[in-house]
Amino acid sequence: MMEAHPSSSSSDDEEDRRHLIEQNDRRNRPHSPAATFELEKSRFHTPNFNHINKRYLFAFLLLPLFILILYFSTDIKDLFQTSLTSRPESSSIISRMRESELRALYLLRQQQSGLLQLLPHTDNNNTDFTSAYNVTYSDLLAHISLNKQIQQALLSSHQLGADLFTLNGSDSGPSSLFRCGKVDQSVNSSDKRRSVEWNPKPDKYLFAVCVSGQMSNHLICLEKHMFFAALLNRVLVIPSSKVDYEFHRVLDIDHINKCLGRRVVVTFEEFEEAERKKKSKVHIDKFICYFSLPDLCYMDDERVKKLKNLGVSMGGKLESPWSEDVKKPKKRTVEDVLSKFSSGEDVIAIGDVFFAEVESEWVMQPGGPIAHTCKTLIEPSRLIMLTAQRFVQTFLGRDFVALHLRRHGFLKFCNDKQPSCFYPIPQAADCINRVLERANTPVIYLSTDAAESETGLLQSLLFINGKTVPLVTRPARNSAEKWDALLYRHGLEGDSQVEAMLDKTICALSTAFIGSPGSTFTEDIRRLRKDWGSASLCDEYLCQGEVPNFIAEDEKEKT
């Protein structure tokens, strides 16, 4: 039941399989590039290959030479260099452009040399075309890879050229094609959002119960509980730290009430005090289970025992108004919730709703489904927010790419999916480099649970314009550094959940974000970026649209 984050403890594979979420956008991906190459490879070995027009083969082999002549016989820099070389702020950009072009020239010459070796040999002015058919699959892959590097170098050159248009006071140049601009959320502005008013009756409560996974799952569970509480006109009770996480250490709970201008959430301690003024002890009057399978309310014996030890009693037996399986949740509507979970009892609970599918598009819109005056209701505490900002100011600056690289326990989880979401480090580096080219940022913030052997290899493969891009992680506490002083002074240092939320906040402040598909840690970062308006056109899941270029066999496939 675990969602891993940089400071999480280990979780077994079964828990990962049960509680990390699917990515809808991966279902419609194109067929594997590897499958496509395999098809192309088979074409080279079919009997019909000898009937291919020989002129097409020469065209393929000589095309890079033509590109080389055309590109360097046309001085692209002349398009904008004349009026700008005298500008001091443009000189460094022009220098970097030249570096990119020289790198492209070097790679083109490499490709030229390699392609010349593949040309058919001649003897007595007779071309031996049959030797041309000995082009191997690996030869093609090598030149495709090299061509990709050339494209990246030339793309970088044009991107730097686009910056010059900006320096000249014009936004009409090619920069509009390459900038990692913010996602336009005007269609989701507060006056156009679909929202529900949360006006709870003061003595009616919804007791939140979250069981699935770790903190990220529980935050999603709380967000959905807030929607249910709004629909049912009830005050939401935040779980006690004795049965759940210490939410008050990572969330700004008062912020939620301020955003709505009324008391809509209370801590367990506040609820307990109010209840004891009326009753002898805290009591849940009715437990209406949202899920009936595999267990009623998705409650385990351990959670029931913790509630009883907390002094919480439950009236009646667990029951569900419908058949609902956590593995195959049905899409439900507001009307479904109102008809099945409305009750006259003072205190009700509906169990873990992490997997619930109620008005998904409504719930997932920027700002969420509830009417309020803030950007988002569930956000990091003020101390964590300020600490994240101080870290960015100290180590990263305004422009940086954030990367959440989930690795621990992720290999088996991903390989159980079709397609897999666990990528070899070199392939992952190639995908990250493409984002770096578009974002043109000097540094990457890395949030990961990966081993140093993997992060070290990744670091050696990341570059932009021929220069290594450093991976920055949060360093161990050093009294000489003051960026984390607020956490230290308030006794929050060393708390794994605080550190996880700090990582999320830093990632949410980035220019562009690369997340791990299937991870709720990533999904919570994407939610914050969406709600804060920091989501970028360059945001994506790691190697989005690609299939891992190598996938290990399952241990059950062979005996």
Side-chain angles (χ1 to χ4, degrees):
M1 295 183 169
M2 300 293 184
E3 162 51 22
H5 49 71
S7 304
S8 67
S9 59
S10 62
S11 58
D12 59 35
D13 294 330
E14 179 62 26
E15 290 172 335
D16 277 328
R17 186 182 306 109
R18 292 170 62 191
H19 299 299
L20 289 175
I21 65 177
E22 297 280 354
Q23 292 302 328
N24 294 330
D25 64 346
R26 297 180 65 87
R27 296 175 184 170
N28 299 320
R29 288 185 176 177
H31 294 297
S32 165
T36 304
F37 285 138
E38 193 65 31
L39 178 59
E40 295 298 325
K41 178 181 178 181
S42 67
R43 291 176 181 173
F44 279 89
H45 294 280
T46 58
N48 293 330
F49 183 83
N50 289 329
H51 297 292
I52 295 177
N53 193 315
K54 299 180 180 66
R55 288 175 295 178
Y56 293 159
L57 181 62
F58 273 113
F60 167 75
L61 295 175
L62 296 176
L63 180 59
L65 302 181
F66 173 75
I67 295 174
L68 183 68
I69 295 170
L70 177 64
Y71 181 80
F72 288 99
S73 64
T74 304
D75 193 352
I76 296 176
K77 295 186 292 295
D78 287 345
L79 295 177
F80 47 80
Q81 193 171 12
T82 303
S83 63
L84 291 172
T85 50
S86 60
R87 298 177 64 92
E89 62 268 39
S90 67
S91 59
S92 62
I93 297 179
I94 292 175
S95 176
R96 290 162 61 193
M97 283 184 62
R98 287 172 177 163
E99 289 181 13
S100 298
E101 291 169 350
L102 287 172
R103 175 171 174 79
L105 175 60
Y106 169 74
L107 293 172
L108 278 168
R109 285 176 175 171
Q110 273 193 317
Q111 189 174 43
Q112 174 191 13
S113 175
L115 289 173
L116 286 173
Q117 294 179 22
L118 299 179
L119 283 173
H121 299 291
T122 60
D123 185 17
N124 297 327
N125 296 322
N126 293 321
T127 302
D128 179 11
F129 286 106
T130 58
S131 65
Y133 303 144
N134 293 326
V135 177
T136 66
Y137 181 47
S138 59
D139 289 332
L140 289 177
L141 287 180
H143 284 288
I144 290 171
S145 176
L146 188 57
N147 187 267
K148 182 185 292 185
Q149 295 181 53
I150 296 169
Q151 292 180 50
Q152 290 176 346
L154 292 176
L155 178 63
S156 171
S157 174
H158 282 273
Q159 181 175 355
L160 292 168
D163 291 337
L164 291 179
F165 281 90
T166 303
L167 288 175
N168 201 32
S170 171
D171 286 331
S172 60
S175 60
S176 58
L177 298 175
F178 304 110
R179 284 179 181 163
C180 289
K182 301 299 181 185
V183 174
D184 182 10
Q185 296 184 351
S186 58
V187 295
N188 294 309
S189 58
S190 58
D191 59 334
K192 296 179 181 179
R193 280 197 307 117
R194 183 186 178 190
S195 60
V196 60
E197 295 289 337
W198 191 356
N199 294 305
K201 299 174 183 178
D203 296 325
K204 300 294 182 182
Y205 297 94
L206 175 61
F207 194 96
V209 176
C210 296
V211 179
S212 168
Q214 293 193 22
M215 175 65 84
S216 296
N217 297 49
H218 286 226
L219 293 178
I220 294 173
C221 173
L222 276 182
E223 187 177 25
K224 292 184 178 181
H225 263 106
M226 287 165 53
F227 185 37
F228 278 71
L231 295 176
L232 300 172
N233 296 321
R234 290 179 175 272
V235 175
L236 182 66
V237 180
I238 303 295
S240 167
S241 59
K242 295 180 180 179
V243 298
D244 209 323
Y245 292 104
E246 296 182 272
F247 290 107
H248 67 280
R249 293 171 71 88
V250 297
L251 297 180
D252 191 340
I253 296 176
D254 289 336
H255 166 81
I256 301 173
N257 290 325
K258 291 177 182 177
C259 289
L260 276 89
R262 63 187 73 94
R263 186 169 171 268
V264 295
V265 296
V266 295
T267 64
F268 174 80
E269 290 72 24
E270 291 172 329
F271 167 69
E272 183 179 37
E273 182 180 354
E275 285 297 286
R276 284 180 175 168
K277 290 180 180 179
K278 301 183 300 181
K279 304 175 183 179
S280 59
K281 60 180 180 179
V282 178
H283 184 75
I284 297 176
D285 300 313
K286 193 171 185 179
F287 221 124
I288 313 172
C289 300
Y290 187 95
F291 287 103
S292 57
L293 297 171
D295 301 300
L296 281 171
C297 293
Y298 202 60
M299 289 277 287
D300 53 25
D301 293 337
E302 181 183 357
R303 187 53 53 102
V304 173
K305 183 178 179 180
K306 285 183 177 180
L307 288 173
K308 289 182 177 179
N309 290 339
L310 191 61
V312 178
S313 62
M314 292 179 283
K317 62 178 181 179
L318 300 180
E319 57 185 30
S320 178
W322 53 29
S323 176
E324 188 78 6
D325 191 337
V326 295
K327 295 181 179 179
K328 298 178 180 179
K330 299 181 179 68
K331 293 186 181 298
R332 303 291 187 176
T333 65
V334 167
E335 290 73 22
D336 293 332
V337 173
L338 293 175
S339 65
K340 300 297 184 181
F341 298 98
S342 294
S343 172
E345 302 288 353
D346 289 344
V347 183
I348 68 168
I350 57 179
D352 195 328
V353 293
F354 170 73
F355 295 100
E357 292 285 347
V358 178
E359 305 282 6
S360 296
E361 292 185 4
W362 187 0
V363 170
M364 294 300 294
Q365 65 184 338
I370 299 171
H372 57 85
T373 59
C374 303
K375 290 183 177 180
T376 184
L377 292 179
I378 295 182
E379 68 177 21
S381 69
R382 181 65 175 165
L383 291 176
I384 293 177
M385 181 74 76
L386 290 173
T387 302
Q389 292 174 357
R390 292 180 177 186
F391 180 88
V392 170
Q393 183 177 359
T394 302
F395 294 99
L396 303 171
R398 181 184 61 186
D399 296 322
F400 67 98
V401 169
L403 168 65
H404 173 226
L405 183 66
R406 170 73 193 275
R407 301 297 276 187
H408 179 79
F410 219 44
L411 176 57
K412 182 172 177 57
F413 164 75
C414 281
N415 281 357
D416 284 341
K417 292 179 172 294
Q418 294 296 330
S420 174
C421 54
F422 192 88
Y423 298 90
I425 290 295
Q427 184 180 4
D430 191 39
C431 297
I432 296 166
N433 279 331
R434 291 199 294 271
V435 177
L436 288 174
E437 290 286 354
R438 297 204 307 272
N440 195 29
T441 58
V443 67
I444 297 178
Y445 179 69
L446 176 63
S447 172
T448 189
D449 54 7
E452 186 176 350
S453 56
E454 294 181 72
T455 59
L457 175 60
L458 178 64
Q459 173 65 90
S460 69
L461 297 173
L462 296 179
F463 61 88
I464 182 173
N465 301 327
K467 298 180 180 179
T468 300
V469 179
L471 285 173
V472 176
T473 58
R474 284 184 296 104
R477 171 160 177 77
N478 187 327
S479 59
E481 297 174 357
K482 300 302 180 183
W483 63 269
D484 60 349
L486 289 174
L487 299 184
Y488 178 76
R489 289 205 301 265
H490 289 83
L492 297 175
E493 82 288 352
D495 185 313
S496 62
Q497 299 308 322
V498 171
E499 292 180 350
M501 184 59 78
L502 178 59
D503 257 21
K504 288 181 182 180
T505 310
I506 295 170
C507 290
L509 296 173
S510 64
T511 302
F513 173 62
I514 305 171
S516 292
S519 166
T520 50
F521 191 90
T522 279
E523 290 309 304
D524 205 35
I525 295 170
R526 289 171 66 91
R527 175 188 66 83
L528 285 173
R529 291 177 64 78
K530 172 190 64 182
D531 291 353
W532 287 349
S534 59
S536 163
L537 294 172
C538 293
D539 288 1
E540 61 180 52
Y541 296 104
L542 181 64
C543 293
Q544 184 168 314
E546 292 188 24
V547 173
N549 59 31
F550 186 90
I551 300 175
E553 295 178 353
D554 187 86
E555 67 269 21
K556 297 180 182 179
E557 292 182 1
K558 293 185 178 181
T559 57

